[in-house]
Amino acid sequence: MSRIGKHPIVIPAGVTVEVKDGIITVKGKNGQLTQEFSDVTVTVEDGQVQVDRSSDHKDQRAKHGLYRSLINNMVIGVTEGFTKSLELVGVGYRASNQGQKLDLALGYSHNIVLLVAAEVTLAEKGKNPIVKLTSFDKQLLGQVAAKIRAFRKPEPYKGKGVKFVGEVLRRKAGKSA
């Protein structure tokens, strides 16, 4: 039995969960999320969501904990939401946003303008610019954050680039004289 998959998901007040034809829909104060599922059975009863599998087949074992985690992230997302913060480290590295357009100056000859999905809200602040992303969809938030980080990954010598707040970088020593 999957250690993660066997735990029920408690549905908080103000959240509705519907299961129909292999699609689960979670609605809450922050928004609505849907997820397709297969190889497992999802039941909603007594204010809890339970994910079960019918056999010990390898595919079902693999998806048991996965779908439980995805559904749990959906419930957390529509109630509390998720946040990721990215720090721009480097001389002249700046970020500004106009609505859903994020304008990044990362040391290239031109600024990078990224149109961010409507579900993700942007904010930037501070001496070392920090771009704060918030959303109710954890997968989308991770994709947007990874895309921004990929524009200028942190380099190991001076640590310049776009990094997650709290990320520990492996630093290298420079040339020995």
Side-chain angles (χ1 to χ4, degrees), residues 10-94:
V10 178
I11 302 171
V15 176
T16 59
V17 179
E18 297 176 6
V19 179
K20 185 184 260 187
D21 298 330
I23 297 175
I24 186 162
T25 305
V26 180
K27 295 177 190 171
K29 66 177 183 178
N30 290 346
Q32 174 179 333
L33 293 169
T34 59
Q35 176 69 44
E36 292 183 15
F37 63 91
S38 62
D39 295 336
V40 294
T41 58
V42 178
T43 56
V44 180
E45 53 190 31
D46 300 330
Q48 292 184 339
V49 178
Q50 185 68 42
V51 180
D52 296 311
R53 61 177 193 245
S54 59
S55 72
D56 254 1
H57 192 264
K58 188 175 181 178
D59 289 340
Q60 290 185 351
R61 283 196 327 252
K63 292 179 182 176
H64 188 201
L66 168 75
Y67 284 123
R68 193 264 178 207
S69 294
L70 290 176
I71 295 167
N72 189 43
N73 287 339
M74 290 165 60
V75 170
I76 292 170
V78 298
T79 55
E80 302 166 19
F82 296 99
T83 302
K84 284 201 186 259
S85 297
L86 296 155
E87 184 178 7
L88 281 60
V89 180
V91 176
Y93 287 13
R94 292 183 312 276

Side-chain angles (χ1 to χ4, degrees), residues 161-172:
V162 179
K163 67 178 192 119
F164 292 107
V165 171
E167 180 181 9
V168 178
L169 300 174
R170 250 185 78 203
R171 301 294 290 271
K172 292 182 179 179

